[in-house]
Amino acid sequence: MAYGNFLFTSESVTEAHPDKMCDQISDAILDALMAADPESRVAVESLATTGLVVVAGQVTSTARPDFAEIVRDVACSVGYDTDDVGFNGNTCAVVTAIQPQSPDISQGVSAGQGLHEEQGAGDQGLMFGFACDETLELMPLPIALAHQLASNLSALEKDQKLPFLRPDGKSMVTVRYVDGLPTRVTSIVVSCQHRFGVAYATIREAIIEELVKKTVPSELLDRSTAIHVNPTGSFVLGGPSADCGLTGRKIIVDTYGGYARHGGGAFSGKDPSKVDRSASYMARYIAKNIVAAGAAQKCEIQLAYAIGMAEPVSILVDTFGTGKLPDSTLSATLRELFDLRPAAIIQTLGLKRPIYRSTAAYGHFGRAAHDGLFPWERVDMSETIRAALNC
């Protein structure tokens, strides 16, 4: 992201958005498999529509979880537990179509079975990680605010603080940058599913007072900030009955809100042998530690892999002119400090654990690392980086 004067917009969605419900179903299935068999190979997609969830993909595991039970638990937990909200996890149909992992892929990610001795990447691809000093969590401000609005909107619905709310919802935040720095919020969009018959003025006033003003810092708002609540005027029908959900369709919400680049693969439903997921986590870990070390104000890391090969085919560091040392120096140092082979990434971040459902709503990045969750958000390498760079 270049310096200058511009507007930038990011969006988020609640955990009950149909796509996000599907992400959580896929990751809940992954967690169940990893909990019983950490060596599970998993690539699971979910689709949700009126009264139906379809789970399909490839699984090789000794675990045998009840997929239908997991689907129902997730749907009910995000708020779809009665017919009157438009989708009922207790009674919906569940169809599964699961087969084992392809042996051609398996030999590439199993040490000693393919052309190379080491565990290789589960697919070819390119992955990005990013960090910047705009927020305490070292994330771009627009996506950080959008996630907070979506999360708080969901909390208002679950806690029944605004009784007219129903589970589905979206948020969007536009921030004005001056000389490359965020200065204020110019517009906010909140779309919230609600009960039939509630006056629009009631919904708008409550969302502004109970959500927007209690989420967005007052110093970022002014009289010219445009606040749009349910811009169509009504949002009664929501969830899978109004919008077919699908795993992996919110990849920009999952990462940096479009502020940084995104690779070609989604995250949810994939075990860590898939570098779409694990290498993206590692790239964020490196970028965040570089910024936390004070070596740059912004940092984007690109990693690229070939299927079946352990070492990345390329590594790129871009600090957008904010680095205290040349990007080439940073890149050389990172190669010495971080082992980027898939097996090493999995070990460094402890990824063979059931930690994935918690990632599947409100972003995979910018979350607090605690209780073993979100280990890629740790900044435990910042002092090592600072010492190696002498900065």
Side-chain angles (χ1 to χ4, degrees):
M1 178 61 62
Y3 280 105
N5 301 334
F6 55 90
L7 300 176
F8 195 87
T9 302
S10 293
E11 70 163 344
S12 186
V13 298
T14 67
E15 61 206 67
H17 184 281
D19 294 333
K20 275 288 138 208
M21 185 179 84
C22 288
D23 284 344
Q24 290 171 88
I25 289 170
S26 294
D27 274 339
I29 289 172
L30 172 62
D31 278 352
L33 290 161
M34 297 291 286
D37 178 8
E39 302 303 321
S40 296
R41 300 280 170 75
V42 185
V44 170
E45 317 292 341
S46 303
L47 176 149
T49 187
T50 305
L52 172 67
V53 175
V54 178
V55 178
Q58 293 76 45
V59 173
T60 298
S61 177
T62 61
R64 298 291 184 269
D66 187 329
F67 291 162
E69 182 180 0
I70 293 170
V71 168
R72 297 184 190 286
D73 176 70
V74 171
C76 291
S77 71
V78 300
Y80 296 120
D81 55 359
T82 61
D83 292 335
D84 66 353
V85 296
F87 189 91
N88 191 340
N90 294 300
T91 59
C92 69
V94 179
V95 176
T96 60
I98 303 295
Q99 61 189 20
Q101 183 181 54
S102 160
D104 296 334
I105 296 174
S106 179
Q107 70 179 358
V109 294
S110 299
Q113 292 187 15
L115 289 178
H116 307 277
E117 289 298 318
E118 296 182 89
Q119 175 181 338
D123 199 355
Q124 72 173 43
L126 50 120
M127 303 85 205
F128 290 94
F130 180 78
C132 63
D133 63 0
E134 292 180 11
T135 62
L136 291 176
E137 56 266 46
L138 302 185
M139 288 286 285
L141 181 62
I143 189 64
L145 291 175
H147 283 324
Q148 290 168 22
L149 284 168
S151 178
N152 290 346
L153 175 62
S154 184
L156 287 171
E157 186 272 330
K158 287 187 172 185
D159 296 341
Q160 287 293 291
K161 290 185 177 179
L162 298 180
F164 59 79
L165 286 178
R166 285 182 166 172
D168 201 355
K170 303 178 76 171
S171 64
M172 192 163 70
V173 177
T174 301
V175 173
R176 179 177 296 282
Y177 285 76
V178 176
D179 294 330
L181 300 176
T183 59
R184 71 179 188 88
V185 172
T186 64
S187 71
I188 295 169
V189 181
V190 176
S191 295
C192 56
Q193 187 187 9
H194 59 87
R195 285 191 295 104
F196 177 77
V198 182
Y200 175 78
T202 299
I203 297 170
R204 176 180 169 79
E205 180 181 4
I207 290 297
I208 291 174
E209 294 299 323
E210 297 299 323
L211 177 66
V212 174
K213 290 185 178 180
K214 292 184 179 181
T215 302
V216 181
S218 58
E219 62 268 20
L220 294 175
L221 301 172
D222 58 30
R223 292 184 178 180
S224 64
T225 301
I227 301 176
H228 307 281
V229 178
N230 287 358
T232 69
S234 178
F235 186 3
V236 174
L237 185 60
S241 297
D243 180 13
C244 180
L246 186 65
T247 298
R249 202 158 54 185
K250 287 291 178 285
I251 59 176
I252 300 302
V253 172
D254 286 343
T255 54
Y256 308 100
Y259 196 95
R261 286 173 283 195
H262 194 292
F267 300 157
S268 290
K270 297 177 180 177
D271 76 84
S273 73
K274 280 74 172 174
V275 285
D276 281 340
R277 183 169 216 157
S278 54
S280 294
Y281 291 168
M282 191 65 172
R284 162 65 176 175
Y285 178 57
I286 296 170
K288 186 174 184 181
N289 276 273
I290 287 174
V291 174
Q297 294 173 278
K298 299 183 181 188
C299 182
E300 185 179 78
I301 306 290
Q302 187 204 49
L303 304 175
Y305 290 85
I307 187 169
M309 296 181 62
E311 292 288 348
V313 298
S314 69
I315 302 171
L316 175 66
V317 178
D318 188 351
T319 60
F320 308 93
T322 71
K324 292 186 176 180
L325 295 167
D327 291 346
S328 58
T329 301
L330 279 174
S331 182
T333 302
L334 296 179
R335 285 179 177 270
E336 296 177 0
L337 296 180
F338 295 93
D339 190 339
L340 299 174
R341 295 172 296 173
I345 291 173
I346 290 169
Q347 182 176 9
T348 298
L349 299 179
L351 298 181
K352 288 186 178 180
R353 297 177 292 133
I355 59 173
Y356 295 104
R357 183 182 169 185
S358 60
T359 69
Y362 313 118
H364 292 242
F365 309 122
R367 313 284 288 276
H370 63 91
D371 298 330
L373 300 176
F374 305 100
W376 47 91
E377 293 297 314
R378 303 188 310 248
V379 291
D380 53 345
M381 285 294 289
S382 59
E383 289 296 332
T384 301
I385 290 172
R386 188 178 294 118
L389 298 174
N390 194 26
C391 65

